[in-house]
Amino acid sequence: MIRCPWLDLSKPDYVRYHDEEWGVPVHDDRVLFEFLILESAQAGLSWYTVLRKRAGYRAAFAEFDPMAVARFTPRDVDRLLLDPGIIRHRRKIEATIVNARAFLAVQASHGSFDAYLWNFVDGQQVMHDIKSLSEYPITIPQSEALAKDLKQRGFAFLGATTCYALMQAVGMVNDHSLDCFRRHEIS
């Protein structure tokens, strides 16, 4: 079975993520919030590092409930800095709380985060014709526009590259390689 060239086949949990989740269109706000948190945590790290800590993030951040996370206090930040189940980086933890509040504001103004987010691709999955690892872009105009808009709305730790990774993860972009078995299953 042929899979994307970036995938390390020696890591079963990574293969499972690729085969079951990566690039599948997501329209559930709670799942979108989860990926927003995880992609922000990834900044400067490998996705696999974050993926291995996903359960820890779920426990630490109230099952990815943005309303609960938005109520976190400086005391919660201090508690989370001691949690080995997540990436213990003060600015990333603080950004998660800030992003939860901004996420709720977007939901209030757009009806859902899903409606807001998918507007950046006109509600349609962007398809790239990728044949090799070197052909994967690190940003696209839509991720640059998303990052700029998120920043204006008060979000943190979400630049154009991180936004592009988010768009790939939640299926706004289908970057499965041309020969990957998942490409046509999720398009």
PDB file of all heavy atoms in Angstrom, residues 40-41 57 61 69 72-74 76-83 86-99 157:
ATOM      1  N   SER A  40      -0.661  24.664  17.062  1.00  0.00           N
ATOM      2  CA  SER A  40       0.036  25.761  17.729  1.00  0.00           C
ATOM      3  C   SER A  40       1.148  25.216  18.630  1.00  0.00           C
ATOM      4  O   SER A  40       2.254  25.762  18.679  1.00  0.00           O
ATOM      5  CB  SER A  40      -0.955  26.588  18.551  1.00  0.00           C
ATOM      6  OG  SER A  40      -0.301  27.598  19.269  1.00  0.00           O
ATOM      7  N   ALA A  41       0.871  24.114  19.322  1.00  0.00           N
ATOM      8  CA  ALA A  41       1.876  23.488  20.186  1.00  0.00           C
ATOM      9  C   ALA A  41       3.046  22.955  19.376  1.00  0.00           C
ATOM     10  O   ALA A  41       4.178  22.879  19.854  1.00  0.00           O
ATOM     11  CB  ALA A  41       1.239  22.356  20.991  1.00  0.00           C
ATOM     12  N   TYR A  57      -2.697  16.292  26.092  1.00  0.00           N
ATOM     13  CA  TYR A  57      -3.360  17.567  25.782  1.00  0.00           C
ATOM     14  C   TYR A  57      -4.859  17.474  26.033  1.00  0.00           C
ATOM     15  O   TYR A  57      -5.472  18.400  26.564  1.00  0.00           O
ATOM     16  CB  TYR A  57      -3.088  17.997  24.329  1.00  0.00           C
ATOM     17  CG  TYR A  57      -1.840  18.815  24.215  1.00  0.00           C
ATOM     18  CD1 TYR A  57      -0.606  18.215  24.032  1.00  0.00           C
ATOM     19  CD2 TYR A  57      -1.885  20.194  24.327  1.00  0.00           C
ATOM     20  CE1 TYR A  57       0.544  18.962  23.939  1.00  0.00           C
ATOM     21  CE2 TYR A  57      -0.736  20.962  24.237  1.00  0.00           C
ATOM     22  CZ  TYR A  57       0.477  20.333  24.041  1.00  0.00           C
ATOM     23  OH  TYR A  57       1.618  21.090  23.980  1.00  0.00           O
ATOM     24  N   PHE A  61      -6.333  20.013  28.701  1.00  0.00           N
ATOM     25  CA  PHE A  61      -7.133  21.113  28.171  1.00  0.00           C
ATOM     26  C   PHE A  61      -8.607  20.733  28.021  1.00  0.00           C
ATOM     27  O   PHE A  61      -9.239  20.977  26.998  1.00  0.00           O
ATOM     28  CB  PHE A  61      -6.541  21.618  26.853  1.00  0.00           C
ATOM     29  CG  PHE A  61      -5.235  22.338  27.048  1.00  0.00           C
ATOM     30  CD1 PHE A  61      -4.034  21.692  26.800  1.00  0.00           C
ATOM     31  CD2 PHE A  61      -5.190  23.639  27.516  1.00  0.00           C
ATOM     32  CE1 PHE A  61      -2.822  22.336  27.006  1.00  0.00           C
ATOM     33  CE2 PHE A  61      -3.985  24.294  27.731  1.00  0.00           C
ATOM     34  CZ  PHE A  61      -2.800  23.641  27.467  1.00  0.00           C
ATOM     35  N   VAL A  69     -11.407  26.022  28.498  1.00  0.00           N
ATOM     36  CA  VAL A  69     -10.036  26.508  28.375  1.00  0.00           C
ATOM     37  C   VAL A  69      -9.994  28.033  28.471  1.00  0.00           C
ATOM     38  O   VAL A  69      -9.077  28.602  29.064  1.00  0.00           O
ATOM     39  CB  VAL A  69      -9.383  26.009  27.066  1.00  0.00           C
ATOM     40  CG1 VAL A  69      -7.990  26.593  26.875  1.00  0.00           C
ATOM     41  CG2 VAL A  69      -9.320  24.480  27.048  1.00  0.00           C
ATOM     42  N   PHE A  72      -9.399  29.332  31.934  1.00  0.00           N
ATOM     43  CA  PHE A  72      -8.150  29.029  32.633  1.00  0.00           C
ATOM     44  C   PHE A  72      -7.516  30.323  33.136  1.00  0.00           C
ATOM     45  O   PHE A  72      -7.628  31.376  32.509  1.00  0.00           O
ATOM     46  CB  PHE A  72      -7.174  28.296  31.713  1.00  0.00           C
ATOM     47  CG  PHE A  72      -7.447  26.816  31.541  1.00  0.00           C
ATOM     48  CD1 PHE A  72      -8.660  26.235  31.875  1.00  0.00           C
ATOM     49  CD2 PHE A  72      -6.474  25.998  31.011  1.00  0.00           C
ATOM     50  CE1 PHE A  72      -8.899  24.876  31.705  1.00  0.00           C
ATOM     51  CE2 PHE A  72      -6.687  24.633  30.829  1.00  0.00           C
ATOM     52  CZ  PHE A  72      -7.897  24.076  31.180  1.00  0.00           C
ATOM     53  N   THR A  73      -6.819  30.195  34.258  1.00  0.00           N
ATOM     54  CA  THR A  73      -6.213  31.339  34.936  1.00  0.00           C
ATOM     55  C   THR A  73      -4.684  31.171  34.973  1.00  0.00           C
ATOM     56  O   THR A  73      -4.161  30.115  34.603  1.00  0.00           O
ATOM     57  CB  THR A  73      -6.724  31.399  36.384  1.00  0.00           C
ATOM     58  OG1 THR A  73      -6.234  30.224  37.088  1.00  0.00           O
ATOM     59  CG2 THR A  73      -8.257  31.444  36.455  1.00  0.00           C
ATOM     60  N   PRO A  74      -3.985  32.191  35.457  1.00  0.00           N
ATOM     61  CA  PRO A  74      -2.531  32.027  35.632  1.00  0.00           C
ATOM     62  C   PRO A  74      -2.168  30.822  36.507  1.00  0.00           C
ATOM     63  O   PRO A  74      -1.141  30.179  36.287  1.00  0.00           O
ATOM     64  CB  PRO A  74      -2.110  33.346  36.272  1.00  0.00           C
ATOM     65  CG  PRO A  74      -3.099  34.341  35.736  1.00  0.00           C
ATOM     66  CD  PRO A  74      -4.412  33.580  35.703  1.00  0.00           C
ATOM     67  N   ASP A  76      -3.716  27.988  36.476  1.00  0.00           N
ATOM     68  CA  ASP A  76      -3.777  26.847  35.555  1.00  0.00           C
ATOM     69  C   ASP A  76      -2.512  26.775  34.706  1.00  0.00           C
ATOM     70  O   ASP A  76      -2.001  25.689  34.437  1.00  0.00           O
ATOM     71  CB  ASP A  76      -5.010  26.940  34.652  1.00  0.00           C
ATOM     72  CG  ASP A  76      -6.296  26.737  35.412  1.00  0.00           C
ATOM     73  OD1 ASP A  76      -6.444  25.693  36.070  1.00  0.00           O
ATOM     74  OD2 ASP A  76      -7.160  27.627  35.339  1.00  0.00           O
ATOM     75  N   VAL A  77      -2.013  27.923  34.279  1.00  0.00           N
ATOM     76  CA  VAL A  77      -0.768  27.951  33.503  1.00  0.00           C
ATOM     77  C   VAL A  77       0.360  27.330  34.323  1.00  0.00           C
ATOM     78  O   VAL A  77       1.105  26.478  33.834  1.00  0.00           O
ATOM     79  CB  VAL A  77      -0.402  29.380  33.056  1.00  0.00           C
ATOM     80  CG1 VAL A  77       0.985  29.416  32.407  1.00  0.00           C
ATOM     81  CG2 VAL A  77      -1.454  29.939  32.109  1.00  0.00           C
ATOM     82  N   ASP A  78       0.472  27.733  35.583  1.00  0.00           N
ATOM     83  CA  ASP A  78       1.516  27.187  36.456  1.00  0.00           C
ATOM     84  C   ASP A  78       1.356  25.670  36.617  1.00  0.00           C
ATOM     85  O   ASP A  78       2.346  24.932  36.604  1.00  0.00           O
ATOM     86  CB  ASP A  78       1.481  27.871  37.822  1.00  0.00           C
ATOM     87  CG  ASP A  78       1.925  29.320  37.758  1.00  0.00           C
ATOM     88  OD1 ASP A  78       2.618  29.711  36.791  1.00  0.00           O
ATOM     89  OD2 ASP A  78       1.564  30.083  38.683  1.00  0.00           O
ATOM     90  N   ARG A  79       0.126  25.221  36.773  1.00  0.00           N
ATOM     91  CA  ARG A  79      -0.147  23.782  36.894  1.00  0.00           C
ATOM     92  C   ARG A  79       0.266  23.045  35.616  1.00  0.00           C
ATOM     93  O   ARG A  79       0.907  21.997  35.668  1.00  0.00           O
ATOM     94  CB  ARG A  79      -1.644  23.578  37.174  1.00  0.00           C
ATOM     95  CG  ARG A  79      -2.107  22.136  37.139  1.00  0.00           C
ATOM     96  CD  ARG A  79      -3.623  22.005  37.373  1.00  0.00           C
ATOM     97  NE  ARG A  79      -4.453  22.791  36.491  1.00  0.00           N
ATOM     98  CZ  ARG A  79      -4.780  22.451  35.238  1.00  0.00           C
ATOM     99  NH1 ARG A  79      -4.329  21.327  34.726  1.00  0.00           N
ATOM    100  NH2 ARG A  79      -5.570  23.228  34.510  1.00  0.00           N
ATOM    101  N   LEU A  80      -0.074  23.612  34.468  1.00  0.00           N
ATOM    102  CA  LEU A  80       0.225  22.968  33.190  1.00  0.00           C
ATOM    103  C   LEU A  80       1.725  22.928  32.901  1.00  0.00           C
ATOM    104  O   LEU A  80       2.194  22.012  32.226  1.00  0.00           O
ATOM    105  CB  LEU A  80      -0.525  23.666  32.063  1.00  0.00           C
ATOM    106  CG  LEU A  80      -2.047  23.465  32.112  1.00  0.00           C
ATOM    107  CD1 LEU A  80      -2.741  24.409  31.142  1.00  0.00           C
ATOM    108  CD2 LEU A  80      -2.409  22.017  31.822  1.00  0.00           C
ATOM    109  N   LEU A  81       2.456  23.886  33.421  1.00  0.00           N
ATOM    110  CA  LEU A  81       3.905  23.882  33.230  1.00  0.00           C
ATOM    111  C   LEU A  81       4.581  22.694  33.910  1.00  0.00           C
ATOM    112  O   LEU A  81       5.717  22.352  33.588  1.00  0.00           O
ATOM    113  CB  LEU A  81       4.524  25.190  33.734  1.00  0.00           C
ATOM    114  CG  LEU A  81       4.314  26.392  32.819  1.00  0.00           C
ATOM    115  CD1 LEU A  81       4.704  27.686  33.532  1.00  0.00           C
ATOM    116  CD2 LEU A  81       5.109  26.222  31.529  1.00  0.00           C
ATOM    117  N   LEU A  82       3.872  22.048  34.823  1.00  0.00           N
ATOM    118  CA  LEU A  82       4.392  20.867  35.519  1.00  0.00           C
ATOM    119  C   LEU A  82       3.890  19.559  34.923  1.00  0.00           C
ATOM    120  O   LEU A  82       4.260  18.486  35.374  1.00  0.00           O
ATOM    121  CB  LEU A  82       4.004  20.937  37.002  1.00  0.00           C
ATOM    122  CG  LEU A  82       4.508  22.166  37.769  1.00  0.00           C
ATOM    123  CD1 LEU A  82       3.926  22.183  39.178  1.00  0.00           C
ATOM    124  CD2 LEU A  82       6.018  22.204  37.792  1.00  0.00           C
ATOM    125  N   ASP A  83       3.048  19.644  33.905  1.00  0.00           N
ATOM    126  CA  ASP A  83       2.399  18.470  33.329  1.00  0.00           C
ATOM    127  C   ASP A  83       3.294  17.832  32.252  1.00  0.00           C
ATOM    128  O   ASP A  83       3.449  18.391  31.161  1.00  0.00           O
ATOM    129  CB  ASP A  83       1.059  18.889  32.730  1.00  0.00           C
ATOM    130  CG  ASP A  83       0.222  17.725  32.247  1.00  0.00           C
ATOM    131  OD1 ASP A  83       0.789  16.630  31.990  1.00  0.00           O
ATOM    132  OD2 ASP A  83      -0.996  17.904  32.107  1.00  0.00           O
ATOM    133  N   ILE A  86       2.159  17.221  28.296  1.00  0.00           N
ATOM    134  CA  ILE A  86       2.083  18.228  27.243  1.00  0.00           C
ATOM    135  C   ILE A  86       3.463  18.850  27.044  1.00  0.00           C
ATOM    136  O   ILE A  86       4.398  18.568  27.796  1.00  0.00           O
ATOM    137  CB  ILE A  86       1.047  19.328  27.564  1.00  0.00           C
ATOM    138  CG1 ILE A  86       1.470  20.148  28.790  1.00  0.00           C
ATOM    139  CG2 ILE A  86      -0.346  18.731  27.761  1.00  0.00           C
ATOM    140  CD1 ILE A  86       0.651  21.407  29.023  1.00  0.00           C
ATOM    141  N   ILE A  87       3.549  19.714  26.073  1.00  0.00           N
ATOM    142  CA  ILE A  87       4.792  20.465  25.863  1.00  0.00           C
ATOM    143  C   ILE A  87       4.767  21.628  26.843  1.00  0.00           C
ATOM    144  O   ILE A  87       3.881  22.481  26.784  1.00  0.00           O
ATOM    145  CB  ILE A  87       4.900  20.922  24.400  1.00  0.00           C
ATOM    146  CG1 ILE A  87       5.039  19.671  23.518  1.00  0.00           C
ATOM    147  CG2 ILE A  87       6.057  21.883  24.212  1.00  0.00           C
ATOM    148  CD1 ILE A  87       4.638  19.867  22.105  1.00  0.00           C
ATOM    149  N   ARG A  88       5.728  21.630  27.734  1.00  0.00           N
ATOM    150  CA  ARG A  88       5.721  22.613  28.830  1.00  0.00           C
ATOM    151  C   ARG A  88       6.459  23.882  28.413  1.00  0.00           C
ATOM    152  O   ARG A  88       7.609  24.100  28.776  1.00  0.00           O
ATOM    153  CB  ARG A  88       6.320  21.982  30.083  1.00  0.00           C
ATOM    154  CG  ARG A  88       5.432  20.853  30.590  1.00  0.00           C
ATOM    155  CD  ARG A  88       6.013  20.138  31.757  1.00  0.00           C
ATOM    156  NE  ARG A  88       7.088  19.236  31.302  1.00  0.00           N
ATOM    157  CZ  ARG A  88       7.760  18.441  32.085  1.00  0.00           C
ATOM    158  NH1 ARG A  88       7.516  18.407  33.366  1.00  0.00           N
ATOM    159  NH2 ARG A  88       8.703  17.663  31.589  1.00  0.00           N
ATOM    160  N   HIS A  89       5.754  24.696  27.688  1.00  0.00           N
ATOM    161  CA  HIS A  89       6.289  25.947  27.149  1.00  0.00           C
ATOM    162  C   HIS A  89       5.294  27.039  27.535  1.00  0.00           C
ATOM    163  O   HIS A  89       4.157  27.039  27.046  1.00  0.00           O
ATOM    164  CB  HIS A  89       6.415  25.806  25.628  1.00  0.00           C
ATOM    165  CG  HIS A  89       7.047  26.955  24.936  1.00  0.00           C
ATOM    166  ND1 HIS A  89       6.405  28.153  24.750  1.00  0.00           N
ATOM    167  CD2 HIS A  89       8.271  27.082  24.368  1.00  0.00           C
ATOM    168  CE1 HIS A  89       7.202  28.971  24.085  1.00  0.00           C
ATOM    169  NE2 HIS A  89       8.338  28.339  23.852  1.00  0.00           N
ATOM    170  N   ARG A  90       5.704  27.932  28.418  1.00  0.00           N
ATOM    171  CA  ARG A  90       4.785  28.931  28.974  1.00  0.00           C
ATOM    172  C   ARG A  90       4.033  29.702  27.895  1.00  0.00           C
ATOM    173  O   ARG A  90       2.813  29.840  27.951  1.00  0.00           O
ATOM    174  CB  ARG A  90       5.517  29.897  29.906  1.00  0.00           C
ATOM    175  CG  ARG A  90       4.575  30.970  30.496  1.00  0.00           C
ATOM    176  CD  ARG A  90       5.267  31.892  31.475  1.00  0.00           C
ATOM    177  NE  ARG A  90       5.675  31.199  32.679  1.00  0.00           N
ATOM    178  CZ  ARG A  90       4.861  30.938  33.716  1.00  0.00           C
ATOM    179  NH1 ARG A  90       3.603  31.315  33.676  1.00  0.00           N
ATOM    180  NH2 ARG A  90       5.318  30.305  34.775  1.00  0.00           N
ATOM    181  N   ARG A  91       4.743  30.205  26.911  1.00  0.00           N
ATOM    182  CA  ARG A  91       4.080  31.033  25.891  1.00  0.00           C
ATOM    183  C   ARG A  91       3.078  30.220  25.067  1.00  0.00           C
ATOM    184  O   ARG A  91       2.022  30.737  24.682  1.00  0.00           O
ATOM    185  CB  ARG A  91       5.113  31.704  24.999  1.00  0.00           C
ATOM    186  CG  ARG A  91       5.829  32.844  25.752  1.00  0.00           C
ATOM    187  CD  ARG A  91       6.810  33.627  24.914  1.00  0.00           C
ATOM    188  NE  ARG A  91       6.275  34.050  23.633  1.00  0.00           N
ATOM    189  CZ  ARG A  91       6.938  33.969  22.472  1.00  0.00           C
ATOM    190  NH1 ARG A  91       8.163  33.490  22.436  1.00  0.00           N
ATOM    191  NH2 ARG A  91       6.386  34.376  21.364  1.00  0.00           N
ATOM    192  N   LYS A  92       3.368  28.970  24.819  1.00  0.00           N
ATOM    193  CA  LYS A  92       2.422  28.133  24.083  1.00  0.00           C
ATOM    194  C   LYS A  92       1.186  27.834  24.928  1.00  0.00           C
ATOM    195  O   LYS A  92       0.060  27.820  24.410  1.00  0.00           O
ATOM    196  CB  LYS A  92       3.078  26.838  23.615  1.00  0.00           C
ATOM    197  CG  LYS A  92       4.071  27.044  22.485  1.00  0.00           C
ATOM    198  CD  LYS A  92       4.675  25.732  22.032  1.00  0.00           C
ATOM    199  CE  LYS A  92       5.676  25.965  20.906  1.00  0.00           C
ATOM    200  NZ  LYS A  92       6.232  24.716  20.381  1.00  0.00           N
ATOM    201  N   ILE A  93       1.379  27.586  26.198  1.00  0.00           N
ATOM    202  CA  ILE A  93       0.248  27.336  27.094  1.00  0.00           C
ATOM    203  C   ILE A  93      -0.608  28.594  27.212  1.00  0.00           C
ATOM    204  O   ILE A  93      -1.844  28.532  27.094  1.00  0.00           O
ATOM    205  CB  ILE A  93       0.738  26.858  28.472  1.00  0.00           C
ATOM    206  CG1 ILE A  93       1.384  25.475  28.352  1.00  0.00           C
ATOM    207  CG2 ILE A  93      -0.407  26.847  29.486  1.00  0.00           C
ATOM    208  CD1 ILE A  93       2.157  25.029  29.578  1.00  0.00           C
ATOM    209  N   GLU A  94       0.021  29.721  27.419  1.00  0.00           N
ATOM    210  CA  GLU A  94      -0.725  30.984  27.491  1.00  0.00           C
ATOM    211  C   GLU A  94      -1.443  31.269  26.178  1.00  0.00           C
ATOM    212  O   GLU A  94      -2.586  31.744  26.174  1.00  0.00           O
ATOM    213  CB  GLU A  94       0.221  32.131  27.860  1.00  0.00           C
ATOM    214  CG  GLU A  94       0.721  32.047  29.279  1.00  0.00           C
ATOM    215  CD  GLU A  94       1.840  33.024  29.613  1.00  0.00           C
ATOM    216  OE1 GLU A  94       2.471  33.570  28.674  1.00  0.00           O
ATOM    217  OE2 GLU A  94       2.094  33.232  30.810  1.00  0.00           O
ATOM    218  N   ALA A  95      -0.793  30.967  25.057  1.00  0.00           N
ATOM    219  CA  ALA A  95      -1.413  31.171  23.747  1.00  0.00           C
ATOM    220  C   ALA A  95      -2.654  30.290  23.594  1.00  0.00           C
ATOM    221  O   ALA A  95      -3.647  30.711  22.986  1.00  0.00           O
ATOM    222  CB  ALA A  95      -0.418  30.888  22.636  1.00  0.00           C
ATOM    223  N   THR A  96      -2.628  29.094  24.136  1.00  0.00           N
ATOM    224  CA  THR A  96      -3.787  28.209  24.042  1.00  0.00           C
ATOM    225  C   THR A  96      -4.997  28.836  24.724  1.00  0.00           C
ATOM    226  O   THR A  96      -6.112  28.786  24.202  1.00  0.00           O
ATOM    227  CB  THR A  96      -3.463  26.839  24.662  1.00  0.00           C
ATOM    228  OG1 THR A  96      -2.397  26.248  23.912  1.00  0.00           O
ATOM    229  CG2 THR A  96      -4.662  25.915  24.649  1.00  0.00           C
ATOM    230  N   ILE A  97      -4.772  29.467  25.860  1.00  0.00           N
ATOM    231  CA  ILE A  97      -5.872  30.117  26.582  1.00  0.00           C
ATOM    232  C   ILE A  97      -6.366  31.341  25.807  1.00  0.00           C
ATOM    233  O   ILE A  97      -7.572  31.540  25.624  1.00  0.00           O
ATOM    234  CB  ILE A  97      -5.425  30.485  28.009  1.00  0.00           C
ATOM    235  CG1 ILE A  97      -5.040  29.206  28.776  1.00  0.00           C
ATOM    236  CG2 ILE A  97      -6.518  31.261  28.741  1.00  0.00           C
ATOM    237  CD1 ILE A  97      -4.237  29.442  30.040  1.00  0.00           C
ATOM    238  N   VAL A  98      -5.434  32.137  25.320  1.00  0.00           N
ATOM    239  CA  VAL A  98      -5.783  33.297  24.499  1.00  0.00           C
ATOM    240  C   VAL A  98      -6.549  32.838  23.259  1.00  0.00           C
ATOM    241  O   VAL A  98      -7.563  33.441  22.869  1.00  0.00           O
ATOM    242  CB  VAL A  98      -4.501  34.079  24.108  1.00  0.00           C
ATOM    243  CG1 VAL A  98      -4.752  35.060  22.978  1.00  0.00           C
ATOM    244  CG2 VAL A  98      -3.924  34.783  25.321  1.00  0.00           C
ATOM    245  N   ASN A  99      -6.080  31.772  22.626  1.00  0.00           N
ATOM    246  CA  ASN A  99      -6.724  31.269  21.414  1.00  0.00           C
ATOM    247  C   ASN A  99      -8.115  30.720  21.693  1.00  0.00           C
ATOM    248  O   ASN A  99      -9.015  30.830  20.850  1.00  0.00           O
ATOM    249  CB  ASN A  99      -5.846  30.227  20.736  1.00  0.00           C
ATOM    250  CG  ASN A  99      -4.592  30.836  20.146  1.00  0.00           C
ATOM    251  OD1 ASN A  99      -4.458  32.057  20.030  1.00  0.00           O
ATOM    252  ND2 ASN A  99      -3.646  29.991  19.777  1.00  0.00           N
ATOM    253  N   PHE A 157       0.644  32.303  18.246  1.00  0.00           N
ATOM    254  CA  PHE A 157       1.370  31.079  17.857  1.00  0.00           C
ATOM    255  C   PHE A 157       0.721  30.389  16.665  1.00  0.00           C
ATOM    256  O   PHE A 157       0.675  29.159  16.593  1.00  0.00           O
ATOM    257  CB  PHE A 157       1.492  30.103  19.031  1.00  0.00           C
ATOM    258  CG  PHE A 157       2.821  30.204  19.737  1.00  0.00           C
ATOM    259  CD1 PHE A 157       2.972  31.029  20.833  1.00  0.00           C
ATOM    260  CD2 PHE A 157       3.927  29.499  19.283  1.00  0.00           C
ATOM    261  CE1 PHE A 157       4.191  31.148  21.466  1.00  0.00           C
ATOM    262  CE2 PHE A 157       5.143  29.605  19.913  1.00  0.00           C
ATOM    263  CZ  PHE A 157       5.290  30.431  21.005  1.00  0.00           C
TER     264      PHE A 157
END
